[in-house]
Amino acid sequence: MIPFSNISKEKTAIIYHEQFINYGKLQQMSRSYQKKIQKEEERIVFIPMDECPETVYKLIACILAKKIFVPISNQRPEEQVNKLIGEFSSSILWTKEICHFQTNNKPILFPEDTLFIGFTSGTTGERKGFIRNQKSWLNSFNIFHSVPVFAKKNYVTCLTPLHYSLGLYTLLQTLCSGQTYLLGIRKISSLASNPAVLNDSQIFSVPTVFNYWIEKMEKPMFGTFDVILGGESVTENQRKTFASKCPEARLFDFYGTSETSFISYNDQQLPERNCLGNFFPKVQVTILDADDSIGEIAVKSPMNFQGYLNNGQIILAEETIKTGDLGKYEKVLFYFGRKDKRINRKGEKIFPAYLEKIVLQLPQIKDALIYGVSDPELGERVLAEVVWKDEPLALSAINEFIKANSYRKGKIDTLLSVQEIQYNESGKKKRSIQEK
């Protein structure tokens, strides 16, 4: 999968702090690690994703040895493996040493070109493993770079951890494409000291992480770098903040899932509200069970994954994958939130993600999270957690603003002022009120 033969050995593959590793050394070190892992009979290899060159060597060694790697956090790796080993008959944890795990499960016959298995809680809170083969990710790499606005730059980095899909994807895409990956970068200001690198960089992130660092910037940062955001939608206020703090840079966002890779992208700096933009090449989207033109987004694409791993069983993916997201198509794709988070308020369907986008236009609101909670009269009532930037607004004023700026019915029933919205590591918002 890693086409070392097509890349000059002198080309820099990784920059890690002050350490420069070229493709020749990357190949040499990866093959030495391959010899170690090649001796092991087990095909499943858990790799704690420390932000260091050794992790990269291990990933490539697994690819060369035709092992299937499972990326996990570098925090308490043994504890994480103990939660996941029940999916497999045998596996390895590769830290400084190699630890073996055995279960009574029957061996699973994975396809020959399986690349890795990622585990995520998704939106339901239930753990699920998604299976990725090499071909689908190579298709993703090629299709991404075929879009003119995402043409290759020399340097690439990602501000999210390597064990998440975006971080892992960005790393492998960079190395397969012969670019230079900036390893261990956690904040955008780390690049400011080297304008030559900054001006020729693509920075991947999720909106939450990226905007945290943008808001901490005390003065504008000049440079012609590109920022590519995914995982959550980007608000109008976030776009305006970016434009003021990084006036020479360009901001793009894409819509996709761990199962589908890239679906659509925005190349407009201020797109229409809820707009997910244009489809990537070779992507076909269907809107299922549409109600008022809004329905579930389903995707057929050469970038789609192979299936789920659940309780030691492979559940093969359909040719067309249902995303669980709600959207509509009117020349471009629009997003209205998760299907399972849609609120049924007295028979009326309300899209909380859609309402969030509206209320976040209010200058008094810094952040917001809207969701449904059980109610004996309404079935579900609409609750909004709000972080105020200025003086709080009355609930009636917020609902008047929603009414004036929405083409659908919708209102907030309960307003909860909070100090901050909680986010998980992958950048998704967490509600503070949990129902049993």
Side-chain angles (χ1 to χ4, degrees):
M1 178 178 176
I2 306 295
F4 291 115
S5 59
N6 298 327
I7 303 171
S8 169
K9 291 185 177 181
E10 285 70 41
K11 167 78 175 176
T12 302
I14 297 169
I15 299 177
Y16 178 62
H17 301 306
E18 301 300 318
Q19 187 178 358
F20 288 71
I21 300 168
N22 63 29
Y23 276 92
K25 183 177 180 181
L26 178 61
Q27 179 181 17
Q28 177 189 1
M29 295 301 297
S30 298
R31 292 202 178 278
S32 69
Y33 277 70
Q34 177 194 359
K35 291 178 182 177
K36 184 174 184 178
I37 200 66
Q38 194 90 58
K39 299 175 183 177
E40 307 295 336
E41 292 183 4
E42 292 86 350
R43 196 176 174 201
I44 303 297
V45 183
F46 289 95
I47 300 181
M49 301 296 282
D50 298 280
E51 294 270 342
C52 63
E54 287 73 21
T55 298
V56 184
Y57 303 151
K58 290 177 181 178
L59 291 176
I60 298 175
C62 284
I63 295 170
L64 295 172
K66 296 186 178 180
K67 303 290 186 181
I68 299 170
F69 63 87
V70 181
I72 58 175
S73 169
N74 59 359
Q75 302 297 315
R76 299 187 295 277
E78 294 87 356
E79 182 179 315
Q80 295 177 67
V81 172
N82 283 324
K83 291 179 180 179
L84 297 173
I85 56 174
E87 296 284 353
F88 309 101
S89 60
S90 61
S91 55
I92 288 170
L93 171 61
W94 196 358
T95 53
K96 289 184 178 179
E97 304 296 330
I98 290 179
C99 300
H100 298 256
F101 297 86
Q102 299 284 335
T103 70
N104 294 323
N105 294 349
K106 293 181 180 179
I108 304 171
L109 187 62
F110 288 100
E112 183 68 19
D113 73 335
T114 301
L115 177 62
F116 76 95
I117 302 170
F119 284 90
T120 173
S121 61
T123 56
T124 63
E126 296 181 6
R127 187 182 74 240
K128 59 181 180 180
F130 60 94
I131 304 168
R132 275 289 190 173
N133 70 348
Q134 296 190 25
K135 184 178 179 181
S136 68
W137 262 30
L138 285 172
N139 287 336
S140 301
F141 302 161
N142 293 330
I143 288 173
F144 179 82
H145 284 306
S146 72
V147 178
V149 295
F150 298 128
K152 296 178 187 177
K153 289 199 167 188
N154 274 322
Y155 303 97
V156 184
T157 194
C158 186
L159 305 185
T160 60
L162 288 178
H163 65 284
Y164 284 109
S165 293
L166 184 60
L168 176 64
Y169 178 90
T170 306
L171 172 66
L172 292 186
Q173 176 183 268
T174 301
L175 298 179
C176 277
S177 304
Q179 298 163 281
T180 300
Y181 191 82
L182 307 175
L183 186 62
I185 301 295
R186 278 288 162 264
K187 53 186 178 180
I188 188 173
S189 57
S190 301
L191 302 175
S193 61
N194 194 333
V197 171
L198 180 65
N199 288 335
D200 200 10
S201 290
Q202 291 175 325
I203 302 170
F204 287 77
S205 186
V206 295
T208 309
V209 173
F210 186 78
N211 285 292
Y212 173 80
W213 292 112
I214 287 292
E215 289 182 358
K216 290 179 73 71
M217 290 169 52
E218 295 181 355
K219 58 182 181 180
M221 187 167 78
F222 295 94
T224 56
F225 55 93
D226 291 344
V227 173
I228 303 164
L229 303 179
E232 288 280 291
S233 57
V234 186
T235 69
E236 183 177 329
N237 286 337
Q238 288 171 339
R239 293 179 186 278
K240 289 179 178 178
T241 300
F242 171 81
S244 65
K245 294 288 185 72
C246 306
E248 297 176 340
R250 300 187 302 173
L251 176 65
F252 305 101
D253 65 306
F254 68 86
Y255 165 62
T257 70
S258 297
E259 294 87 348
T260 64
S261 291
F262 303 106
I263 299 172
S264 63
Y265 64 95
N266 273 315
D267 55 4
Q268 302 296 316
Q269 297 305 292
L270 279 175
E272 189 176 347
R273 189 194 309 145
N274 296 94
C275 178
L276 296 175
N278 301 298
F279 296 138
F280 278 89
K282 301 182 181 180
V283 172
Q284 301 175 40
V285 169
T286 306
I287 305 298
L288 303 176
D289 304 321
D291 177 12
D292 191 20
S293 74
I294 297 174
E296 184 174 6
I297 299 171
V299 180
K300 181 180 179 181
S301 162
M303 298 181 278
N304 284 358
F305 81 140
Q306 285 56 62
Y308 289 115
L309 179 64
N310 189 6
N311 295 322
Q313 299 291 322
I314 298 176
I315 304 171
L316 293 176
E318 300 287 339
E319 187 177 21
T320 298
I321 295 174
K322 297 179 180 179
T323 63
D325 292 333
L326 294 168
K328 69 175 182 178
Y329 179 73
E330 292 181 356
K331 296 184 179 179
V332 290
L333 190 61
F334 291 84
Y335 174 73
F336 291 89
R338 292 290 298 172
K339 183 179 179 181
D340 54 13
K341 291 186 178 180
R342 183 170 46 185
I343 301 170
N344 188 348
R345 184 187 186 276
K346 213 171 184 178
E348 180 184 343
K349 299 294 189 296
I350 293 176
F351 305 115
Y354 175 67
L355 293 186
E356 274 180 36
K357 274 293 191 74
I358 295 173
V359 301
L360 284 170
Q361 290 182 286
L362 286 162
Q364 296 89 346
I365 293 179
K366 181 180 180 181
D367 203 357
L369 172 61
I370 297 176
Y371 51 91
V373 293
S374 299
D375 186 272
E377 295 182 6
L378 300 173
E380 286 185 286
R381 59 187 165 91
V382 182
L383 185 145
E385 297 184 28
V386 173
V387 180
W388 299 102
K389 192 185 302 180
D390 297 313
E391 285 297 313
L393 294 173
L395 176 59
S396 58
I398 296 176
N399 280 331
E400 283 296 320
F401 185 79
I402 291 173
K403 184 177 179 181
N405 289 274
S406 173
Y407 78 90
R408 295 182 59 90
K409 289 183 179 180
K411 62 177 295 187
I412 296 169
D413 297 301
T414 303
L415 187 62
L416 180 64
S417 296
V418 297
Q419 292 298 314
E420 64 177 350
I421 302 295
Q422 296 295 319
Y423 289 81
N424 61 27
E425 282 188 305
S426 63
K428 298 186 184 300
K429 297 178 180 180
K430 298 192 297 185
R431 52 194 283 176
S432 61
I433 296 178
Q434 302 294 334
E435 295 187 291
K436 295 182 180 179

